[in-house]
Amino acid sequence: MDGFQRRREQKKKDILEATLQLYLTYGIQKVSIAEIAKEANVSQVTIYNYFENKHQLTKDVYIHYIDKASLEFEQVVYSDLPFPEKIKQIIFNKKEVSQQIHEEFYQFMMKEYSLDGSYIEKIYEEKSIPYFTHLFKEGMEQGYVDPSLSNEAILFYIHMLKDYLQREDIYTKVLPLTEEITKIFFYGIIGER
């Protein structure tokens, strides 16, 4: 990639990141292209050179956010941390996200998630399942996950939870419960050992 292309990609990334931070704080509707341009330190024309309209920018921010979250999850899963620390880090990350994300942006993402063939669905199949498989295998090897549990049962449970969270009547209520749901998932209802 030549210098021009690198600068172009960096500018696009700066716009996506600035937009993401504004959406996380203020939601989608209250954020204008002018505010995004100011935050990203670019002109409004520059934004329109990269994104057809605000709707397209919002969809690209959603993909940027999912990629970023996936990378953070991957880094925790494949880190040298002991299994209990990985779980604590994942729960802490979920708690932070649930406290920092604006309800409107969260609802937009969940609505996208509920669509057939969504980007989250693709990442879930291609990356999240292998990450979970690796994580729970490691947990079993270290004696933290019950070895009598099969990968099939664990993955079935994950799929069931994922499918349930795609329902609009559920995802509209789940944000304040994110940390608790994550704790139940990782520690079960009998709590940490």
Side-chain angles (χ1 to χ4, degrees):
M1 186 183 310
D2 64 24
F4 173 77
Q5 192 61 31
R6 264 195 309 279
R7 285 189 303 277
R8 184 169 168 72
E9 286 302 311
Q10 185 59 51
K11 195 170 283 194
K12 183 176 181 180
K13 185 178 176 186
D14 291 347
I15 294 167
L16 290 170
E17 192 57 36
T19 307
L20 174 60
Q21 294 312 312
L22 289 168
Y23 283 1
L24 289 173
T25 304
Y26 304 107
I28 298 167
Q29 296 302 316
K30 289 184 180 177
V31 175
S32 69
I33 294 295
E35 291 168 318
I36 295 167
K38 182 178 178 187
E39 185 75 18
N41 201 27
V42 299
S43 71
Q44 292 182 50
V45 172
T46 300
I47 291 174
Y48 288 114
N49 286 336
Y50 289 90
F51 307 97
E52 185 178 321
N53 52 41
K54 187 177 176 188
H55 181 72
Q56 184 59 52
L57 174 58
T58 301
K59 288 208 172 241
D60 287 358
V61 166
Y62 154 78
I63 290 169
H64 173 72
Y65 182 77
I66 300 307
D67 287 343
K68 195 172 165 179
S70 177
L71 179 61
E72 288 171 5
F73 186 59
E74 177 184 20
Q75 289 169 341
V76 171
V77 168
Y78 291 102
S79 72
D80 292 333
L81 293 171
F83 183 78
E85 289 304 312
K86 289 181 182 185
I87 300 307
K88 286 178 187 171
Q89 187 68 43
I90 291 167
I91 291 171
F92 177 75
N93 287 349
K94 290 279 189 195
K95 178 181 180 179
E96 272 209 341
V97 166
S98 69
Q99 291 173 345
Q100 293 174 352
I101 193 168
H102 191 278
E103 177 78 21
E104 181 189 12
F105 185 59
Y106 169 78
Q107 294 298 334
F108 171 82
M109 288 193 331
M110 294 307 291
K111 191 166 197 69
E112 289 293 314
Y113 179 40
S114 68
L115 301 174
D116 285 338
S118 73
Y119 189 72
I120 294 179
E121 187 73 29
K122 178 181 178 241
I123 294 300
Y124 170 77
E125 291 295 331
E126 293 175 4
K127 295 183 178 184
S128 296
I129 293 301
Y131 298 163
F132 276 119
T133 301
H134 175 84
L135 184 65
F136 288 117
K137 180 179 180 226
E138 184 180 307
M140 283 181 189
E141 289 169 356
Q142 292 180 16
Y144 293 103
V145 175
D146 184 346
S148 70
L149 296 175
S150 68
N151 275 342
E152 291 78 20
I154 293 171
L155 291 177
F156 180 81
Y157 185 79
I158 292 169
H159 287 304
M160 196 170 55
L161 185 59
K162 176 200 68 82
D163 289 346
Y164 192 66
L165 288 174
Q166 287 180 302
R167 291 180 29 193
E168 186 173 3
D169 62 318
I170 302 303
Y171 73 68
T172 55
K173 299 173 188 159
V174 80
L175 185 60
L177 305 173
T178 302
E179 180 186 6
E180 292 175 76
I181 292 168
T182 305
K183 280 183 179 179
I184 291 169
F185 175 76
F186 283 111
Y187 297 130
I189 58 172
I190 58 170
E192 298 177 57
R193 289 191 240 170

